[in-house]
Amino acid sequence: MDENKNIELLFKALADRTRLRLINLMGADEICVCFLVEVLKINQPKISRHLAYLRRAGVVAARREGKWMHYRIIEPKDQHAARIFGEVRNWLRNDAATQRDRARLTKICCAPRLPAQLQKAPRPASLVA
């Protein structure tokens, strides 16, 4: 894929609020899609479509562990795209709405008893007590 197509795909990926929220929720963690569904209250197929878009843009990687799909942030290969992506992630860390998403994720993950649909799901590493 040529460089212009890559940057266009990156900007399109970053032009959607749900995808920005997903990027913020992943932070430095690898996270199971089930937690993203629970925090954002968006159905799993829609979350998966957004995550697939982010994978095509080269900013998210996925791996399967049994029935669980785990997603994590990866840096774009192009240095200019990586710089743009880093700036967006810095901005998201300071955004009030995305801070509320992170707080909700922490609350859900750190609760003494997880919601039924998350009982056997692996928790994000930075939120394991």
Side-chain angles (χ1 to χ4, degrees), residues 28-31 122-129:
D29 280 321
E30 181 177 72
I31 187 167
R123 297 180 194 203
S126 70
L127 300 176
V128 175

Side-chain angles (χ1 to χ4, degrees), residues 1-97:
M1 192 179 310
D2 72 45
E3 189 176 313
N4 291 334
K5 195 71 163 170
N6 285 339
I7 199 72
E8 182 180 327
L9 192 55
L10 175 65
F11 277 108
K12 284 181 179 179
L14 299 176
D16 181 272
R17 185 68 182 165
T18 299
R19 289 192 287 269
L20 291 173
R21 292 173 77 193
L22 289 167
I23 289 166
N24 182 65
L25 284 170
M26 283 181 262
D29 280 321
E30 181 177 72
I31 187 167
C32 178
V33 70
C34 57
F35 283 102
L36 300 171
V37 168
E38 185 67 22
V39 171
L40 298 180
K41 296 295 184 197
I42 297 172
N43 66 49
Q44 184 271 323
K46 190 170 185 178
I47 294 284
S48 292
R49 281 193 303 275
H50 284 293
L51 290 166
Y53 202 106
L54 291 168
R55 287 176 69 188
R56 283 191 303 278
V59 296
V60 169
R63 76 173 178 88
R64 179 177 292 281
E65 183 180 314
K67 70 175 188 171
W68 308 107
M69 283 300 293
H70 301 269
Y71 292 86
R72 64 182 170 80
I73 297 293
I74 58 174
E75 289 295 319
K77 292 176 184 172
D78 177 83
Q79 69 178 0
H80 301 296
R83 190 171 56 246
I84 291 164
F85 188 59
E87 288 299 320
V88 168
R89 290 183 68 207
N90 285 334
W91 176 79
L92 289 169
R93 280 191 280 277
N94 297 310
D95 176 67

Side-chain angles (χ1 to χ4, degrees), residues 103-122:
R104 181 164 165 69
L105 175 63
T106 301
K107 183 178 178 183
I108 289 167
C109 288
C110 296
R113 184 152 167 84
L114 290 173
Q117 65 275 20
L118 301 176
Q119 289 288 316
K120 296 181 181 180

